[in-house]
Short mmCIF file of all heavy atoms in Angstrom, two decimals:
data_model
loop_
_atom_site.label_atom_id
_atom_site.label_comp_id
_atom_site.label_asym_id
_atom_site.label_seq_id
_atom_site.Cartn_x
_atom_site.Cartn_y
_atom_site.Cartn_z
N GLY B 1 110.34 105.69 117.50
CA GLY B 1 109.51 104.90 116.61
C GLY B 1 110.29 104.24 115.49
O GLY B 1 111.52 104.29 115.44
N VAL B 2 109.55 103.63 114.56
CA VAL B 2 110.13 102.92 113.41
C VAL B 2 110.05 103.78 112.15
O VAL B 2 110.79 103.56 111.20
CB VAL B 2 109.42 101.56 113.22
CG1 VAL B 2 110.02 100.78 112.06
CG2 VAL B 2 109.49 100.74 114.50
N ASN B 3 109.17 104.77 112.12
CA ASN B 3 109.01 105.73 111.02
C ASN B 3 108.59 105.06 109.71
O ASN B 3 109.10 105.37 108.64
CB ASN B 3 110.28 106.56 110.81
CG ASN B 3 109.98 107.85 110.07
OD1 ASN B 3 109.04 108.57 110.43
ND2 ASN B 3 110.74 108.15 109.05
N GLN B 4 107.63 104.15 109.78
CA GLN B 4 107.09 103.51 108.58
C GLN B 4 105.77 104.17 108.19
O GLN B 4 104.90 104.35 109.05
CB GLN B 4 106.83 102.03 108.82
CG GLN B 4 108.09 101.23 109.03
CD GLN B 4 107.79 99.75 109.25
OE1 GLN B 4 106.65 99.36 109.46
NE2 GLN B 4 108.82 98.95 109.21
N SER B 5 105.63 104.50 106.92
CA SER B 5 104.36 105.05 106.46
C SER B 5 103.26 104.01 106.62
O SER B 5 103.50 102.81 106.48
CB SER B 5 104.48 105.51 105.01
OG SER B 5 104.85 104.45 104.16
N PRO B 6 102.04 104.46 106.94
CA PRO B 6 100.94 103.52 107.16
C PRO B 6 100.37 102.99 105.84
O PRO B 6 100.51 103.61 104.79
CB PRO B 6 99.89 104.37 107.87
CG PRO B 6 100.13 105.74 107.35
CD PRO B 6 101.63 105.84 107.16
N ASP B 7 99.69 101.82 105.93
CA ASP B 7 98.93 101.34 104.78
C ASP B 7 97.69 102.21 104.67
O ASP B 7 97.13 102.66 105.68
CB ASP B 7 98.53 99.87 104.98
CG ASP B 7 97.38 99.73 105.97
OD1 ASP B 7 97.59 99.94 107.18
OD2 ASP B 7 96.26 99.45 105.51
N LEU B 8 97.28 102.49 103.45
CA LEU B 8 96.08 103.28 103.19
C LEU B 8 95.35 102.66 102.00
O LEU B 8 96.00 102.24 101.03
CB LEU B 8 96.42 104.73 102.86
CG LEU B 8 97.20 105.52 103.91
CD1 LEU B 8 97.66 106.85 103.34
CD2 LEU B 8 96.34 105.73 105.15
N SER B 9 94.04 102.61 102.06
CA SER B 9 93.26 102.19 100.90
C SER B 9 92.04 103.09 100.80
O SER B 9 91.51 103.56 101.80
CB SER B 9 92.85 100.72 101.01
OG SER B 9 92.04 100.52 102.14
N TRP B 10 91.63 103.35 99.57
CA TRP B 10 90.49 104.24 99.35
C TRP B 10 89.58 103.65 98.29
O TRP B 10 89.98 102.82 97.49
CB TRP B 10 90.94 105.65 99.00
CG TRP B 10 91.91 105.77 97.86
CD1 TRP B 10 91.61 105.92 96.53
CD2 TRP B 10 93.35 105.74 97.93
NE1 TRP B 10 92.76 105.99 95.79
CE2 TRP B 10 93.84 105.88 96.62
CE3 TRP B 10 94.24 105.60 98.99
CZ2 TRP B 10 95.21 105.89 96.33
CZ3 TRP B 10 95.60 105.61 98.70
CH2 TRP B 10 96.07 105.76 97.39
N SER B 11 88.32 104.13 98.33
CA SER B 11 87.32 103.65 97.39
C SER B 11 86.35 104.77 97.07
O SER B 11 86.31 105.80 97.74
CB SER B 11 86.58 102.45 97.99
OG SER B 11 85.97 102.80 99.21
N ASP B 12 85.55 104.54 96.03
CA ASP B 12 84.50 105.46 95.60
C ASP B 12 85.00 106.88 95.31
O ASP B 12 84.45 107.86 95.83
CB ASP B 12 83.37 105.52 96.64
CG ASP B 12 82.73 104.17 96.87
OD1 ASP B 12 82.58 103.42 95.89
OD2 ASP B 12 82.39 103.87 98.03
N PRO B 13 86.03 107.01 94.44
CA PRO B 13 86.47 108.37 94.11
C PRO B 13 85.41 109.10 93.30
O PRO B 13 84.57 108.47 92.64
CB PRO B 13 87.73 108.12 93.27
CG PRO B 13 87.51 106.78 92.66
CD PRO B 13 86.75 105.99 93.69
N PRO B 14 85.42 110.42 93.33
CA PRO B 14 84.45 111.18 92.55
C PRO B 14 84.69 111.00 91.05
O PRO B 14 85.81 110.74 90.61
CB PRO B 14 84.68 112.63 92.98
CG PRO B 14 85.90 112.65 93.80
CD PRO B 14 86.29 111.26 94.13
N ALA B 15 83.63 111.16 90.28
CA ALA B 15 83.74 111.09 88.83
C ALA B 15 84.75 112.12 88.34
O ALA B 15 84.83 113.23 88.88
CB ALA B 15 82.37 111.35 88.19
N GLY B 16 85.54 111.76 87.36
CA GLY B 16 86.52 112.69 86.79
C GLY B 16 87.87 112.66 87.45
O GLY B 16 88.77 113.40 87.04
N ALA B 17 88.05 111.84 88.47
CA ALA B 17 89.36 111.77 89.15
C ALA B 17 90.41 111.25 88.18
O ALA B 17 90.25 110.17 87.61
CB ALA B 17 89.28 110.89 90.39
N GLN B 18 91.46 112.02 87.99
CA GLN B 18 92.55 111.65 87.08
C GLN B 18 93.81 111.25 87.83
O GLN B 18 94.73 110.71 87.23
CB GLN B 18 92.84 112.79 86.12
CG GLN B 18 91.68 113.11 85.19
CD GLN B 18 92.06 114.17 84.19
OE1 GLN B 18 93.14 114.12 83.60
NE2 GLN B 18 91.18 115.14 84.00
N SER B 19 93.88 111.57 89.11
CA SER B 19 95.01 111.16 89.95
C SER B 19 94.61 111.37 91.40
O SER B 19 93.53 111.90 91.69
CB SER B 19 96.28 111.94 89.62
OG SER B 19 96.17 113.30 90.01
N PHE B 20 95.51 110.94 92.30
CA PHE B 20 95.28 111.11 93.73
C PHE B 20 96.51 111.72 94.38
O PHE B 20 97.62 111.63 93.85
CB PHE B 20 94.99 109.76 94.40
CG PHE B 20 93.75 109.10 93.91
CD1 PHE B 20 93.80 108.13 92.92
CD2 PHE B 20 92.51 109.48 94.41
CE1 PHE B 20 92.65 107.52 92.45
CE2 PHE B 20 91.35 108.88 93.95
CZ PHE B 20 91.42 107.90 92.96
N ALA B 21 96.29 112.31 95.54
CA ALA B 21 97.38 112.79 96.39
C ALA B 21 97.07 112.32 97.81
O ALA B 21 95.90 112.15 98.17
CB ALA B 21 97.48 114.30 96.35
N VAL B 22 98.11 112.10 98.59
CA VAL B 22 97.97 111.73 100.00
C VAL B 22 98.79 112.72 100.81
O VAL B 22 99.95 113.01 100.47
CB VAL B 22 98.45 110.28 100.26
CG1 VAL B 22 98.53 110.00 101.75
CG2 VAL B 22 97.52 109.28 99.57
N THR B 23 98.20 113.24 101.87
CA THR B 23 98.92 114.15 102.75
C THR B 23 98.73 113.72 104.20
O THR B 23 97.72 113.11 104.55
CB THR B 23 98.42 115.61 102.60
OG1 THR B 23 97.02 115.67 102.89
CG2 THR B 23 98.69 116.14 101.20
N MET B 24 99.73 114.05 105.01
CA MET B 24 99.63 113.87 106.46
C MET B 24 100.08 115.18 107.08
O MET B 24 101.19 115.65 106.83
CB MET B 24 100.51 112.73 106.94
CG MET B 24 100.39 112.46 108.43
SD MET B 24 101.28 110.93 108.83
CE MET B 24 101.30 111.03 110.61
N TYR B 25 99.20 115.77 107.88
CA TYR B 25 99.41 117.12 108.41
C TYR B 25 99.05 117.16 109.89
O TYR B 25 98.07 116.57 110.32
CB TYR B 25 98.51 118.09 107.62
CG TYR B 25 98.56 119.51 108.09
CD1 TYR B 25 99.67 120.30 107.86
CD2 TYR B 25 97.48 120.06 108.76
CE1 TYR B 25 99.71 121.61 108.29
CE2 TYR B 25 97.51 121.38 109.19
CZ TYR B 25 98.63 122.15 108.95
OH TYR B 25 98.66 123.45 109.38
N ASP B 26 99.86 117.87 110.67
CA ASP B 26 99.64 118.07 112.10
C ASP B 26 99.29 119.54 112.33
O ASP B 26 100.19 120.39 112.35
CB ASP B 26 100.90 117.68 112.88
CG ASP B 26 100.82 118.03 114.36
OD1 ASP B 26 99.75 118.46 114.85
OD2 ASP B 26 101.85 117.87 115.03
N PRO B 27 98.00 119.86 112.52
CA PRO B 27 97.63 121.26 112.77
C PRO B 27 98.01 121.75 114.16
O PRO B 27 97.99 122.95 114.41
CB PRO B 27 96.10 121.25 112.59
CG PRO B 27 95.70 119.87 112.99
CD PRO B 27 96.83 118.98 112.51
N ASP B 28 98.38 120.82 115.05
CA ASP B 28 98.69 121.17 116.44
C ASP B 28 100.17 121.50 116.67
O ASP B 28 100.54 121.89 117.79
CB ASP B 28 98.30 120.02 117.38
CG ASP B 28 96.83 119.67 117.29
OD1 ASP B 28 96.00 120.60 117.19
OD2 ASP B 28 96.51 118.47 117.31
N ALA B 29 101.01 121.32 115.66
CA ALA B 29 102.44 121.59 115.84
C ALA B 29 102.64 123.04 116.27
O ALA B 29 101.98 123.94 115.76
CB ALA B 29 103.19 121.31 114.55
N PRO B 30 103.55 123.29 117.22
CA PRO B 30 103.74 124.64 117.75
C PRO B 30 104.60 125.51 116.83
O PRO B 30 105.63 126.04 117.22
CB PRO B 30 104.42 124.39 119.10
CG PRO B 30 105.19 123.13 118.88
CD PRO B 30 104.35 122.30 117.94
N THR B 31 104.14 125.66 115.58
CA THR B 31 104.90 126.42 114.59
C THR B 31 104.17 127.67 114.11
O THR B 31 104.76 128.51 113.45
CB THR B 31 105.18 125.55 113.35
OG1 THR B 31 103.92 125.22 112.74
CG2 THR B 31 105.94 124.29 113.70
N GLY B 32 102.88 127.74 114.36
CA GLY B 32 102.07 128.81 113.80
C GLY B 32 101.49 128.43 112.45
O GLY B 32 100.59 129.10 111.95
N SER B 33 102.01 127.37 111.84
CA SER B 33 101.52 126.94 110.53
C SER B 33 101.35 125.43 110.43
O SER B 33 101.20 124.90 109.34
CB SER B 33 102.47 127.43 109.43
OG SER B 33 103.76 126.88 109.61
N GLY B 34 101.39 124.72 111.54
CA GLY B 34 101.25 123.27 111.51
C GLY B 34 102.52 122.61 111.00
O GLY B 34 103.59 123.24 110.93
N TRP B 35 102.41 121.31 110.65
CA TRP B 35 103.59 120.55 110.22
C TRP B 35 103.16 119.51 109.19
O TRP B 35 102.27 118.69 109.44
CB TRP B 35 104.22 119.85 111.42
CG TRP B 35 105.58 119.28 111.16
CD1 TRP B 35 105.87 118.04 110.65
CD2 TRP B 35 106.83 119.91 111.39
NE1 TRP B 35 107.22 117.86 110.56
CE2 TRP B 35 107.84 119.01 111.01
CE3 TRP B 35 107.20 121.16 111.89
CZ2 TRP B 35 109.19 119.30 111.12
CZ3 TRP B 35 108.53 121.44 112.00
CH2 TRP B 35 109.53 120.53 111.62
N TRP B 36 103.79 119.55 108.00
CA TRP B 36 103.54 118.57 106.95
C TRP B 36 104.45 117.38 107.16
O TRP B 36 105.67 117.50 107.12
CB TRP B 36 103.78 119.18 105.58
CG TRP B 36 102.77 120.23 105.23
CD1 TRP B 36 102.90 121.57 105.37
CD2 TRP B 36 101.47 120.00 104.69
NE1 TRP B 36 101.74 122.20 104.97
CE2 TRP B 36 100.86 121.26 104.54
CE3 TRP B 36 100.76 118.85 104.34
CZ2 TRP B 36 99.56 121.40 104.03
CZ3 TRP B 36 99.48 119.01 103.82
CH2 TRP B 36 98.90 120.27 103.68
N HIS B 37 103.85 116.19 107.36
CA HIS B 37 104.59 114.96 107.62
C HIS B 37 104.76 114.08 106.38
O HIS B 37 105.67 113.25 106.34
CB HIS B 37 103.88 114.13 108.70
CG HIS B 37 104.05 114.71 110.06
ND1 HIS B 37 105.03 114.29 110.93
CD2 HIS B 37 103.38 115.70 110.70
CE1 HIS B 37 104.95 114.98 112.05
NE2 HIS B 37 103.96 115.84 111.94
N TRP B 38 103.87 114.24 105.40
CA TRP B 38 103.95 113.41 104.20
C TRP B 38 103.15 114.08 103.11
O TRP B 38 102.01 114.49 103.33
CB TRP B 38 103.39 112.03 104.49
CG TRP B 38 103.78 110.91 103.57
CD1 TRP B 38 104.87 110.84 102.75
CD2 TRP B 38 103.10 109.66 103.42
NE1 TRP B 38 104.90 109.63 102.11
CE2 TRP B 38 103.83 108.89 102.50
CE3 TRP B 38 101.94 109.12 103.97
CZ2 TRP B 38 103.44 107.61 102.11
CZ3 TRP B 38 101.55 107.84 103.60
CH2 TRP B 38 102.30 107.10 102.68
N VAL B 39 103.75 114.21 101.93
CA VAL B 39 103.07 114.80 100.77
C VAL B 39 103.39 113.93 99.57
O VAL B 39 104.55 113.85 99.13
CB VAL B 39 103.54 116.26 100.53
CG1 VAL B 39 102.79 116.87 99.35
CG2 VAL B 39 103.36 117.12 101.78
N VAL B 40 102.37 113.25 99.04
CA VAL B 40 102.52 112.33 97.92
C VAL B 40 101.50 112.73 96.85
O VAL B 40 100.33 112.95 97.19
CB VAL B 40 102.23 110.87 98.35
CG1 VAL B 40 102.53 109.90 97.23
CG2 VAL B 40 102.99 110.50 99.61
N PHE B 41 101.92 112.81 95.61
CA PHE B 41 100.98 113.19 94.55
C PHE B 41 101.35 112.51 93.23
O PHE B 41 102.34 111.79 93.17
CB PHE B 41 100.89 114.71 94.40
CG PHE B 41 102.21 115.41 94.27
CD1 PHE B 41 102.84 115.55 93.04
CD2 PHE B 41 102.82 115.95 95.40
CE1 PHE B 41 104.06 116.20 92.94
CE2 PHE B 41 104.03 116.61 95.30
CZ PHE B 41 104.66 116.74 94.06
#
């Protein structure tokens, strides 16, 4: 692959939101604990 992060857009956050985080997780990875692909905060 090219390994480019995808575009993402969001709307209607809950009241009181002071920041956001984005995660990408694979629960199917054969590790016993899944696989974290992207963690942004």
Side-chain angles (χ1 to χ4, degrees):
V2 182
N3 201 48
Q4 293 180 348
S5 59
D7 76 288
L8 301 171
S9 62
W10 53 90
S11 58
D12 300 323
Q18 296 184 45
S19 69
F20 297 97
V22 170
T23 58
M24 183 172 169
Y25 177 72
D26 173 7
D28 301 320
T31 64
S33 61
W35 192 273
W36 291 97
H37 286 264
W38 200 22
V39 182
V40 186
F41 50 85

